[in-house]
Amino acid sequence: MAEELNSEYDIARAKIGLSSIISSLGGYETAITLLENINFNDKQFLLINRIKISYYFHLAENYYFIDNYKEAFKYLDKISNLLEGEPEEYKVNILLLKNLLKTQIYLKLKNSQEALNNLNLSKNLLDNLQKVYFSDLKIFYLLTLESYNLKYNFQNFNENYLKNFIETSQETGDVIFLKMAFDLLFEYYFESNDFIKYRKLDLMYISYLKKITNGNNKFFTLYLVENLENEYISMENKKLYTHISIILLVSLIILIISFKRTQYLDKKTKIDVLTNIGNRLAFNIKLKELENKNYYMLLFDIDNFKRLNDTYGHDFGDKVLSTVGKILKTIENKEISIYRVGGEEFLIIFTNLNKNFCIDSCEYIRKSIENIKWENPVTVTISGGFSQKSENTYIKCDSRLYKAKNSGKNLIIYQKI
């Protein structure tokens, strides 16, 4: 439509707008490609500096999302030179936005001092804001503040603000800001070992994704049907072909995003919420994949776990389970897969690795768990059974686990006794 107006200004704005939509759906590399195809050489249309500022911000933001911070800083640094001659209120808005994005980058780089410096600059600019050009600046500041608090000022983290923001913004809020709020709460609950709230938030997030996906599919399907049914221009008309092509392209993009989200939801069904590792379903799928391959398996459980629950409560029991999951995560890679297959029962599969390395890894897990210092006066240990792939690998591991229990516990049996 911008091209039909034959306006360089509108074409540039349209490409930046489309890149923003694609970016909000997670297509950061595609958004970058679209932006970098905009040509500003020898262009002198009205408000070109403001278009360039928007252009640099969108490029910096997308490079930030793909963790290319050097490029993000490069484009942010270009912005200041374009502010000459602009009204003071506009400059304050732009500098505030710039400092907030720089704060986010420094948080990713784990540079707490620079993050705090830019956050303080942002606060001063926000306090002196007389005229608002970008309506979401305060939201962006508050979310950035909570990002900093989560990493460096944990006691001041405002859980309620994020919960309220999510609950009141689901229908109309910016997708990127909503995702940011969800991510912060997920991390906060995980670090706090509050897996009841983590699970509730997880269900809310899945519901939100479904709602957005269904809404997008319904909207674009109806839009396509309406345009096809009501179009009165002849099929030979070039504009009609252009419009239908655009609608089909957008519909295709939405279908791709929906497919990606379906993949995400499918992945979520294979993750144990409490420990954030694979669950029994994921283990069963892995076994089918390894039907014709060799591997080693360790099956272990936590010694006296029922007594731990009865003595110190289920919250402490959940903390034990989640901590074991974190330790298992330290060895997880493409050759080592980890699962929680029962209440206090865990399983590790080693592929393409020699037996001695697998045994060393098992002992690392056993000793790491034994050496944890808990807030309660208790030592947590595990017992397990280890076996190479055989006709009944799981049963063989389970049998050796049972023997380890009867042999004093805090023990892994690696061969037939």
Side-chain angles (χ1 to χ4, degrees):
M1 288 188 285
E3 286 172 350
E4 287 177 11
L5 295 171
N6 195 27
S7 163
E8 295 285 355
Y9 170 76
D10 287 304
I11 290 171
R13 284 187 62 201
K15 287 184 176 180
I16 292 171
L18 182 57
S19 77
S20 180
I21 294 170
I22 293 171
S23 176
S24 73
L25 295 170
Y28 308 124
E29 291 89 350
T30 305
I32 289 170
T33 301
L34 181 61
L35 288 166
E36 290 181 339
N37 283 333
I38 299 175
N39 181 13
F40 286 109
N41 295 335
D42 304 320
K43 301 289 191 302
Q44 292 299 326
F45 50 78
L46 189 66
L47 297 177
I48 186 170
N49 278 4
R50 292 198 180 185
I51 290 292
K52 282 185 176 180
I53 288 170
S54 179
Y55 168 76
Y56 289 142
F57 266 130
H58 279 82
L59 274 172
E61 184 180 52
N62 281 288
Y63 275 115
Y64 159 76
F65 283 131
I66 62 171
D67 300 329
N68 189 336
Y69 307 125
K70 182 179 178 180
E71 286 296 299
F73 276 127
K74 182 181 86 174
Y75 286 110
L76 285 176
D77 290 341
K78 290 175 179 283
I79 290 170
S80 298
N81 296 331
L82 298 170
L83 292 176
E84 188 177 347
E86 293 288 351
E88 192 61 32
E89 296 89 348
Y90 181 77
K91 289 182 183 178
V92 173
N93 277 258
I94 295 300
L95 291 174
L96 174 54
L97 192 56
K98 179 181 174 182
N99 281 318
L100 287 172
L101 191 50
K102 287 178 76 172
T103 304
Q104 290 288 339
I105 295 172
Y106 282 123
L107 286 173
K108 288 279 189 177
L109 293 171
K110 298 181 180 178
N111 188 332
S112 60
Q113 190 55 55
E114 284 298 327
L116 183 59
N117 290 342
N118 280 275
L119 189 61
N120 288 335
L121 284 171
S122 302
K123 179 67 167 63
N124 291 334
L125 290 166
L126 189 64
D127 289 342
N128 292 303
L129 201 61
Q130 300 296 322
K131 184 177 179 180
V132 177
Y133 283 79
F134 310 101
S135 59
D136 291 332
L137 280 175
K138 187 175 182 181
I139 293 171
F140 191 19
Y141 168 76
L142 290 171
L143 289 173
T144 303
L145 174 63
E146 295 312 321
S147 299
Y148 178 84
N149 286 340
L150 185 62
K151 288 185 180 296
Y152 301 112
N153 198 9
F154 196 75
Q155 68 275 13
N156 287 338
F157 184 82
N158 192 336
E159 172 193 358
N160 289 329
Y161 166 71
L162 294 173
K163 286 169 62 179
N164 291 335
F165 175 70
I166 289 170
E167 289 167 3
T168 57
S169 302
Q170 283 193 15
E171 301 301 328
T172 59
D174 186 292
V175 174
I176 291 175
F177 286 158
L178 273 170
K179 185 181 183 301
M180 191 174 170
F182 271 113
D183 287 345
L184 287 170
L185 273 182
F186 275 127
E187 188 175 351
Y188 174 68
Y189 291 146
F190 186 79
E191 293 298 326
S192 305
N193 292 314
D194 193 337
F195 292 100
I196 294 174
K197 288 185 178 178
Y198 189 101
R199 177 58 178 160
K200 287 180 180 177
L201 186 68
D202 187 50
L203 294 172
M204 185 188 296
Y205 188 51
I206 291 171
S207 173
Y208 170 67
L209 287 181
K210 285 181 179 178
K211 187 186 299 182
I212 294 297
T213 301
N214 291 339
N216 285 341
N217 288 342
K218 182 178 179 182
F219 173 79
F220 282 105
T221 302
L222 290 175
Y223 185 44
L224 177 61
V225 170
E226 182 182 352
N227 275 272
L228 290 175
E229 287 181 348
N230 298 332
E231 188 59 59
Y232 58 86
I233 307 174
S234 67
M235 287 299 292
E236 288 72 28
N237 188 297
K238 184 180 177 182
K239 288 183 180 179
L240 174 60
Y241 280 122
T242 303
H243 292 158
I244 291 176
S245 298
I246 291 170
I247 295 165
L248 287 172
L249 177 59
V250 174
S251 298
L252 179 60
I253 291 171
I254 296 301
L255 287 173
I256 291 170
I257 297 300
S258 299
F259 174 69
K260 290 289 187 182
R261 283 176 174 162
T262 301
Q263 285 185 315
Y264 166 79
L265 293 174
D266 179 60
K267 183 180 178 182
K268 295 286 281 185
T269 64
K270 299 170 189 169
I271 297 294
D272 176 62
V273 175
L274 181 63
T275 58
N276 203 32
I277 64 176
N279 58 18
R280 187 88 191 199
L281 174 61
F283 164 63
N284 291 337
I285 292 171
K286 185 68 175 180
L287 277 189
K288 289 180 181 178
E289 291 175 2
L290 297 175
E291 240 172 4
N292 300 314
K293 297 178 182 178
N294 192 29
Y295 59 84
Y296 292 94
M297 179 186 293
L298 169 68
L299 176 68
F300 72 88
D301 71 10
I302 298 167
D303 294 327
N304 307 312
F305 186 71
K306 185 178 184 303
R307 189 191 304 165
L308 286 175
N309 266 334
D310 293 343
T311 305
Y312 302 109
H314 288 279
D315 285 346
F316 180 71
D318 285 350
K319 186 170 185 178
V320 170
L321 293 171
S322 66
T323 304
V324 170
K326 289 178 182 178
I327 292 173
L328 292 177
K329 276 281 189 184
T330 64
I331 67 166
E332 183 183 33
N333 57 44
K334 66 179 182 178
E335 309 295 354
I336 303 175
S337 50
I338 57 177
Y339 309 93
R340 181 186 176 200
V341 292
E344 69 271 22
E345 197 170 74
F346 294 84
L347 190 144
I348 306 174
I349 293 180
F350 303 89
T351 54
N352 302 316
L353 296 168
N354 67 62
K355 184 176 182 179
N356 288 336
F357 179 86
C358 298
I359 290 173
D360 287 343
S361 298
C362 294
E363 286 302 307
Y364 163 78
I365 293 295
R366 185 186 65 78
K367 291 173 184 175
S368 296
I369 294 170
E370 181 185 10
N371 290 329
I372 296 172
K373 303 299 180 186
W374 304 95
E375 66 267 27
N376 292 314
V378 65
T379 298
V380 176
T381 60
I382 64 169
S383 298
F386 178 90
S387 175
Q388 188 172 3
K389 180 187 177 183
S390 64
E391 187 175 347
N392 294 300
T393 320
Y394 183 90
I395 293 174
K396 189 176 287 187
C397 288
D398 191 47
S399 174
R400 291 177 181 178
L401 187 159
Y402 181 75
K403 287 178 181 176
K405 292 283 188 188
N406 291 333
S407 301
K409 301 179 181 176
N410 192 19
L411 174 69
I412 295 172
I413 294 181
Y414 295 95
Q415 59 190 12
K416 185 177 180 182
I417 298 176

